[in-house]
């Protein structure tokens, strides 16, 4: 391999056809309506609800604000929220921004998701909610999480940032828990440049969330809650509306890459990947592999550097663990002995490039790169 070969990045954004987008931009220019629940915003919410198979969805300007707003909408003002350290840092930050206390529990080695058994052990009289993450789009064990939540009267907020379009037994996993959130960041399977959404289960709650993302206004003159500005503008709603038309093809292209990777990695000693659960429609947002240094021969970091030297840019999502970052590292639940599985996964993981536009030649180059 030569370093003069093209750069292959971990992901590449899904972009609408430029002519189609220009036409939508022209309509926005003509209407002079740029934000605040405009026509594209309304169309986008409707089309998303249909595509995802959910009833109530509210789109936001990114994927972090729906998490922050979810905790507000559920009226959680004080207490502890049990969560996973194996995620992007926004998950924990959203708890902190609500002045709630994150409590980390370990994950399951088979999925990387929060371990329900460890949730139960971490519940105290101060626990008010659970915030699991469907990491890499792998569905959490919602049945066990539900039972625990009901038994202890806790709210469940699923961070489904990675789970766009993921279905279990034909139904959207976004219907689980009290609420779920999505991210439409440029690096995600489905993007609106920046964007996100909050999914809830009643018209009343959607109304409350719509008000919260608009400063808490109800009508023109009444402010019913200390809301925030989380509104998605018309340009990004139009972008999202167009991307919906090509999302299935993009997921199919990712699926093909995943199959090629699996076939190759099955033959490499010391490398593994997350095994799929049955009856799930995945979105193939990420392709994490785990490097067992003793059997593979070199460390995860050495493989990461070796690929980089060949212009192949994987990413160590999710290393370091959130619980090791400055704001959280001194929490008792952040202690390494509390999180052995998450710690091991974070030390071994490398996400290989995964997106809809990878060519067969790219895939071959990446596979050659990971071969010993
Ligand atoms: N919850 C979870 C579980 C999440 O994973 C995230 C976000 C959130 C909540 C919060 O959602 P948002 O508020 O972000 O909507 C990225 C993303 O910024 C972030 O959205 C994402 N998770 C996280 C896992 O990854 P970085 O720092 O890795 O992004 P960056 O800029 O290094 O980009 C990665 C690669 O993507 C680049 O090598 C090239 C490619 N890229 C990136 C951008 C921005 C492009 O090709 N085009 C682009 O425009 O954080």
């Amino acid at each position: 391999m030569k370093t003069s070969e093209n750069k292959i990045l971990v992901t590449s954004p899904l972009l609408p056809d430029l002519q189609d987008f220009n036409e939508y931009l022209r309509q926005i220019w003509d209407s002079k309506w740029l934000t605040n629940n405009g026509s594209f915003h309304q169309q986008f919410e409707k089309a998303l609800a249909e595509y995802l198979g959910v009833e109530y969805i509210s789109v936001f300007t990114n994927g972090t604000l729906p998490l922050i707003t979810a905790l507000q909408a559920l009226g959680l003002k004080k207490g502890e929220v049990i969560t996973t350290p194996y995620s992007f840092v926004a998950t924990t930050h959203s708890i902190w921004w609500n002045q709630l206390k994150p409590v980390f529990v370990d994950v399951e080695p088979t999925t990387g998701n929060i371990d329900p058994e460890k949730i139960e052990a971490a519940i105290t009289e101060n626990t008010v909610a659970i915030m699991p993450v469907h990491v890499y789009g792998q569905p959490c064990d919602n049945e066990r999480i539900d039972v625990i939540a009901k038994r202890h009267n806790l709210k469940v907020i699923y961070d489904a940032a990675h789970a766009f379009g993921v279905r279990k037994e034909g139904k959207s996993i976004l219907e689980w828990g009290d609420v779920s959130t999505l991210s439409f960041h440029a690096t995600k399977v489905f993007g609106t440049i920046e964007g996100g959404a909050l999914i809830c289960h009643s018209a009343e709650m959607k109304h409350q969330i719509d008000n919260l993302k608009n400063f808490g206004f109800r009508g023109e003159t009444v402010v019913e809650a200390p809301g925030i500005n989380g509104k998605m503008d018309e340009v990004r709603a139009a972008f999202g509306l167009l991307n919906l038309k090509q999302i299935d093809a993009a997921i199919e292209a990712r699926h093909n890459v995943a199959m090629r990777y699996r076939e190759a990695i099955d033959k490499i000693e010391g490398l593994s990947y997350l095994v799929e659960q049955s009856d799930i429609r995945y979105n193939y947002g990420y392709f994490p592999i785990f490097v067992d240094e003793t059997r593979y021969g070199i460390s995860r970091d050495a493989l990461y550097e070796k690929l980089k030297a060949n212009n192949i840019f994987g990413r160590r999502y999710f290393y370091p663990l959130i619980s090791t970052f400055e704001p959280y590292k001194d929490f008792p639940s952040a202690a390494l002995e509390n999180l052995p599985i998450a710690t091991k996964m974070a030390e071994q993981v490398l996400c290989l490039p995964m997106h809809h536009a990878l060519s067969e030649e790219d895939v071959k180059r990446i596979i050659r790169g990971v071969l010993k």
Side-chain angles (χ1 to χ4, degrees), residues 9-13 62-65 67 87-88 90-91 133 159 161-162 182-188 194-195 286 313 315 317-318:
L9 302 177
V10 70
T11 187
S12 179
N62 60 48
T64 303
L65 282 168
L67 283 168
S87 178
F88 187 61
T91 311
V133 178
D159 179 343
H162 303 170
L182 287 168
S183 164
F184 305 149
H185 186 261
T187 56
K188 295 289 189 286
E194 293 268 1
Y286 298 85
F313 294 82
R315 283 296 286 266
Y317 297 130
F318 288 96

Side-chain angles (χ1 to χ4, degrees), residues 19-32:
Q19 256 187 336
D20 292 347
F21 190 48
N22 265 328
E23 168 53 26
Y24 277 6
L25 286 178
R26 196 191 52 73
Q27 290 178 32
I28 294 170
W29 258 238
D30 286 350
S31 74
K32 300 187 178 55

Side-chain angles (χ1 to χ4, degrees), residues 16-34 39-41 43-44 47 233-245:
D17 179 86
L18 195 52
Q19 256 187 336
D20 292 347
F21 190 48
N22 265 328
E23 168 53 26
Y24 277 6
L25 286 178
R26 196 191 52 73
Q27 290 178 32
I28 294 170
W29 258 238
D30 286 350
S31 74
K32 300 187 178 55
W33 193 275
L34 305 184
S39 140
F40 278 105
H41 181 286
Q43 289 177 62
F44 184 41
D233 60 75
E234 289 293 274
V235 173
R236 283 187 274 168
F239 191 101
L241 206 51
L242 289 171
N243 263 351
L244 269 183
K245 295 187 184 169

Side-chain angles (χ1 to χ4, degrees), residues 66-87:
L67 283 168
I68 292 175
T69 307
L71 294 163
Q72 288 282 319
L74 293 167
L76 303 174
K77 298 206 165 37
K78 218 172 124 201
E80 296 171 355
V81 178
I82 294 176
T83 191
T84 167
Y86 193 70
S87 178

